[in-house]
Amino acid sequence: MSKLLNLKLILILMLSGAFNYSESQEVSGTVTDDASQPLPGVSVIVKGSSTGTTTDFDGNYSISANNGDTLIFSYVGFETQEIVVTGSTLNVSMHAGVALDEVVLLGNRAKPRTILDSPVPIDNIGVEELTSGGQPTIEAMLTFKVPSFNAQNQAISDATAHYDPADLRGLGPSRTLVLINGKRKNQSAQVFLNRTPGKGEVGIDLKSIPTAAIERVEILRDGASAQYGSDAIAGVINMVLKKDAQFSTFTAKTGVTSEGDGFNFATDFNTTLGFGEGGFINLTLGYYNQELTNRAGTPGVADLPGDARPNEIAWAQNTPDLGMHVGQPDLEKGDVFVNMSHPVGEHSEFYSFHGYTLRTGRSFAYYRAPYWRRDVADAGFITAPEDFQGYQPSFEARIKDHLNVAGLDMDLGNDWRADASITFGKNSVDYTVNNSVNRDYLADNGTSPRTFKPGGYSLSNVIGNLDFSKVFSDMVSGSFGLEYKKEKFEAREGNPLSYYGAGSDSFAGVKPEEAGEWDRNNFAAYIGLDFDVSDALLLGIAGRYEDFSDFGDNFSWKIFGRQKLGDKGALRASYSTGFRAPTLHQRHLTNSQYIIVASSPEPLLQGTLANNNPAVEALGVPNLFAETSKNLAAGITYKFDRNFSASLDFYSIKVDDRVLFSSQIGSDSDDTTTNPVEQILEDNGVVAVQFFINAGDTKTTGADFIINYRNMDLGSGKLHANLAANFNKTTIDAINTPDALAQNGYDIFARIEKGLITSARPKSKFILGLDYESEKVDIGLYNTLFGKVTITSPNGPANDQALSSKLATDLSVSYNFTDKLSITGIINNIFDVYPDVTLASTGTAQAGSRFVYSSEVQQLGQLGTNYSVGLNYRF
């Protein structure tokens, strides 16, 4: 009943607005830079409203506005201009400036604000700045541009090798919300189950977003669940797509590592087509291909057993790396993105954008050394036993990602705006295991397939949004809206031979009892109000209510304020509560196998079991529910002059009831007795189990620091400098263990698992960027200092290893043949820096020191120096 009353109140508010259109005129003009050259793509907005447009290739614009209105002209890298309309023609000259003057839409639906005016820290990174460092994918670009963002490729980690876990402020992939043009991006189909940063979590498949389609990236570094809903605990990343670009762009790039591997090639094309009367279609086509790298160790014959056979000795002597492939996978990707818009009448706009990405990849499991698989050797199946060389299974993925959005942005008159949209997103992955064997099937039948189809997963959502905003007066503006979302998770059964017995070697298939479809829906309503108490003081509140069909509801709220320091700086602060809904994967995923136990006449189950499995429930593990957070942030930003600015922001984020992926729960070390936990497992036919549980309370504290200096005149050109840093620390305040497990001495979250939360990401990162621009030559020098990380040893804290800080230096040189054609050469990691070698004493060097560098904690990756050259042509 209360929900119905709330809905009626919202509808009354909607209908109470006066929807009459005010008299307006068409204001037009040309926008140029300091050299009187036209500026395409400049944002033009009527101040105090959401009415806006952009300039065309010749710098021309046209917008509906009244005499006395103020137009805001903003463009990345230029000072924002605010000019009062006094007629139908208004020409503007823009001056090179700093990022604080840029208008951003993220964080406020009712009234666009500049970064300086915003009450929370927001980064606004243009595509040219993103691509200048030469990194191949959007997550790598952000890692080397944004101090609080981290993502690295994972080696030898099954499906995780094809999805790079990425996060803000070290809070894990699940706690950063990603939007595209302000609309929620669907999560990936894959849960990160291996020992990597973000283990047990689900992130966004950032590889599915082509950089060529992006105009800029806005990053809100503050808790925003009260505004945007689940997952926005660490912040929000909004990818803004290119719009009515007045030129077409073609790029091609190729590169290779200093080791001669990892060859890559990328090409993309972006153009804008006319669409009806006044509309546009921006089209992006992209292709990317990379070959594998290998940074395996060479332990050689040291790994041989005492009874080694002659063929095993010969293999080890001739194969010092023991057949391993440790590094980035093979990858091939193609994508298509379309962003389109068309006016509807005089005051509304239809918009739609669509993305489709298909990529395939191949990573590797451990090489099955011949002395590890003597049963396969003795079967004489692959070769004669005396010639057996072992085998290395490959783990191959086929990943598809769809995003489709359509909506209507409406000017309802009297400063009311409405936006109605529907979003469909889906990510799916199907697996193939090659060069493998089903050892149980081989033992029973004398033969086995070498290729297996172990099934796959998909996650999709359909989201409907209805958003309203109104500028009530110069002092008060607000927004409110409704959202309905339906999600579906699917686990697809593998081929029967992939799960026969223990399944295909390296990755068993999805069994019939593990396959299925599960869905849920949720309803949300939000409201936000901003009070411009004066030109200097802004206060605001926001609240959001969400009700999920599978676990219950949540209400999050936020208060914030900003006090300007004259016209050059501002103090800002916020306090908010937030939440993250457990994903459908975490609720329903089962990944298990049956093993033979001497005490049982039947095989017993072990592995990851779903939250509602009887064995998991019997252990006292409750149904998953929402994590909650408390975010406190405060900072200062200041523009010393038109070229020099700085900001400093502090944050403290507490997360309660964090969803954890437990350690394995099984038998204790006493074989003479059966404790109550063992009895529960036996009663349910289970020998060992891992599960997802709301059990962790964590606290993350840190600071972000940014200094920008632009347009230093060097006579022959201009120099831009940027220094940015992040410091962060995460502690685990509590692990809440169910009574049945706690009373019998079980540790549901071992210290090596805790280390993935507290020390697997750098505790600090510094980025120093220097860009020199001239008429013909552009030079960029970028230095990224990754702070220490720690390998947490299963052998106790005395064997932990702190990996020292590492500095990666990138150099980019571009030559402009004309204003349309340029060539760029890039050297990434000039000094060939690698992480510290993992000590064998940590107990994590893995598989007889086949891993030189840790696969569990990450700094700058293990690629080494990479050389690339690219061509850019626009017409």
Side-chain angles (χ1 to χ4, degrees), residues 50-117:
S50 297
T51 301
T53 186
T54 57
T55 58
D56 63 18
F57 182 71
D58 297 316
N60 299 320
Y61 74 94
S62 178
I63 191 170
S64 295
N66 299 311
N67 284 330
D69 284 347
T70 299
L71 296 186
I72 303 174
F73 297 82
S74 64
Y75 190 61
V76 176
F78 287 79
E79 285 187 341
T80 296
Q81 302 268 11
E82 294 192 12
I83 303 177
V84 176
V85 175
T86 57
S88 60
T89 301
L90 182 56
N91 297 320
V92 177
S93 176
M94 298 191 69
H95 308 290
V98 296
L100 296 181
D101 291 315
E102 296 163 9
V103 173
V104 290
L105 302 180
L106 190 62
N108 190 296
R109 289 181 171 92
K111 183 187 291 187
R113 299 184 185 277
T114 66
I115 292 175
L116 181 63
D117 286 338

Side-chain angles (χ1 to χ4, degrees), residues 515-740:
E517 294 184 3
W518 302 270
D519 60 39
R520 72 176 175 199
N521 58 74
N522 71 284
F523 167 84
Y526 73 87
I527 187 170
L529 289 172
D530 285 9
F531 301 93
D532 286 281
V533 179
S534 66
D535 287 341
L537 179 61
L538 165 68
L539 299 174
I541 58 173
R544 186 181 180 102
Y545 172 80
E546 299 213 24
D547 188 13
F548 288 78
S549 62
D550 59 343
F551 69 82
D553 57 6
N554 174 269
F555 178 75
S556 296
W557 56 272
K558 182 173 185 175
I559 57 174
F560 51 85
R562 182 225 63 218
Q563 173 67 45
K564 284 188 177 181
L565 305 174
D567 61 354
K568 291 189 175 182
L571 295 170
R572 55 197 181 198
S574 69
Y575 180 83
S576 64
T577 65
F579 80 105
R580 186 188 76 84
T583 69
L584 286 173
H585 326 53
Q586 293 173 323
R587 292 185 63 83
H588 299 288
L589 180 72
T590 298
N591 188 355
S592 64
Q593 61 180 340
Y594 288 88
I595 64 172
I596 301 297
V597 178
S599 60
S600 173
E602 299 292 335
L604 295 182
L605 186 66
Q606 74 168 7
T608 302
L609 301 186
N611 197 241
N612 59 357
N613 183 281
V616 176
E617 292 178 333
L619 293 173
V621 178
N623 286 331
L624 294 181
F625 53 91
E627 306 174 354
T628 57
S629 69
K630 298 179 178 65
N631 294 53
L632 176 64
I636 182 173
T637 183
Y638 201 82
K639 182 176 65 173
F640 296 94
D641 58 37
R642 60 183 292 181
N643 296 321
F644 182 31
S645 66
S647 66
L648 176 63
D649 291 277
F650 299 92
Y651 57 89
S652 174
I653 306 169
K654 291 185 177 182
V655 181
D656 292 331
D657 301 314
R658 183 167 175 158
V659 176
L660 305 177
F661 184 45
S662 77
S663 301
Q664 189 173 88
I665 305 299
S667 299
D668 61 20
S669 58
D670 185 356
D671 297 333
T672 63
T673 62
T674 300
N675 70 46
V677 170
E678 293 171 331
Q679 190 63 55
I680 291 172
L681 296 176
E682 287 183 15
D683 291 344
N684 288 274
V686 174
V687 66
V689 61
Q690 288 180 278
F691 46 80
F692 293 95
I693 180 173
N694 292 90
D697 296 340
T698 65
K699 181 179 180 180
T700 299
T701 56
D704 294 314
F705 177 58
I706 299 173
I707 297 177
N708 279 301
Y709 191 90
R710 298 183 59 85
N711 301 312
M712 182 185 297
D713 193 350
L714 301 181
S716 59
K718 293 183 178 180
L719 179 67
H720 313 297
N722 168 267
L723 174 64
N726 171 260
F727 307 88
N728 72 86
K729 179 182 180 181
T730 296
T731 57
I732 299 177
D733 296 336
I735 300 294
N736 304 305
T737 305
D739 290 342

Side-chain angles (χ1 to χ4, degrees), residues 171-177 201 231-235 580 627 658-659:
L171 279 165
S174 299
R175 295 168 195 86
T176 299
L177 176 62
E201 298 195 31
D231 308 345
I233 289 176
R580 186 188 76 84
E627 306 174 354
R658 183 167 175 158
V659 176

Side-chain angles (χ1 to χ4, degrees), residues 5 54 57 71 102 114 149 153 234 265 300 344 394 404 452 458 695 747 802 838 864:
L5 289 173
T54 57
F57 182 71
L71 296 186
E102 296 163 9
T114 66
F149 182 93
N153 177 250
F265 173 76
V344 177
S394 64
N404 301 278
F452 301 88
S458 66
D747 185 357
T838 304

Side-chain angles (χ1 to χ4, degrees), residues 435-508:
N435 200 39
S436 184
V437 175
N438 187 316
R439 298 165 65 196
D440 286 335
Y441 191 83
L442 175 64
D444 294 343
N445 298 277
T447 187
S448 169
R450 301 301 309 279
T451 296
F452 301 88
K453 297 289 186 180
Y457 302 97
S458 66
L459 179 76
S460 62
N461 60 34
V462 178
I463 308 172
N465 291 95
L466 184 59
D467 303 302
F468 297 89
S469 64
K470 163 120 175 123
V471 178
F472 296 97
S473 66
D474 290 341
M475 178 180 290
V476 182
S477 60
S479 60
F480 61 91
L482 306 172
E483 179 179 285
Y484 178 81
K485 178 171 63 175
K486 187 175 183 66
E487 298 174 276
K488 183 173 76 171
F489 174 63
E490 178 185 5
R492 293 185 289 278
E493 180 184 348
N495 182 279
L497 291 186
S498 72
Y499 56 77
Y500 181 94
S504 48
D505 199 0
S506 85
F507 187 79

